[in-house]
Amino acid sequence: MTIFVPLSLSLTDVTTMRNEVLVEFTIEPFVEGAPGEHVTAAVAAVEAMGISVDFGPFGSTFVTTLETVGAAVGELTKVAYASGATHVSVHVERIES
């Protein structure tokens, strides 16, 4: 396996980074205090994968591994749109040690 290290990071930096990411997401349409099925079904789909979701009033978050983030975000968006979402925003950030 080849590891490509960005010029701004040393190999030590890469090997000490955690294997987890923080995923922040919002699902629209947004109705304050009354999340619709397009939100609750998407959150339930992620939680069904064994991932705990921190549900917030303006956005939600979860932590998962680099190996599962693609499947989790894929399931989140698939279920949200199938349940009536018009827009899904996702931000993924690697968690450092």
Side-chain angles (χ1 to χ4, degrees), residues 23-27 43 53 58-62 76 88-91:
V23 178
E24 300 174 87
F25 65 94
T26 57
I27 302 171
V43 169
V53 175
F58 301 107
S60 301
T61 60
F62 62 87
L76 172 84
V88 177
S89 296
V90 178
H91 174 82

Side-chain angles (χ1 to χ4, degrees), residues 6-65:
L7 296 177
S8 61
L9 296 176
S10 71
L11 186 55
T12 302
D13 292 332
V14 172
T15 58
T16 59
M17 287 182 152
R18 290 174 56 181
N19 189 34
E20 293 179 314
V21 292
L22 172 68
V23 178
E24 300 174 87
F25 65 94
T26 57
I27 302 171
E28 296 178 30
F30 172 76
V31 178
E32 187 174 351
E37 182 182 349
H38 59 289
V39 177
T40 58
V43 169
V46 173
E47 290 179 333
M49 298 176 74
I51 300 169
S52 178
V53 175
D54 183 17
F55 190 78
F58 301 107
S60 301
T61 60
F62 62 87
V63 174
T64 191
T65 65

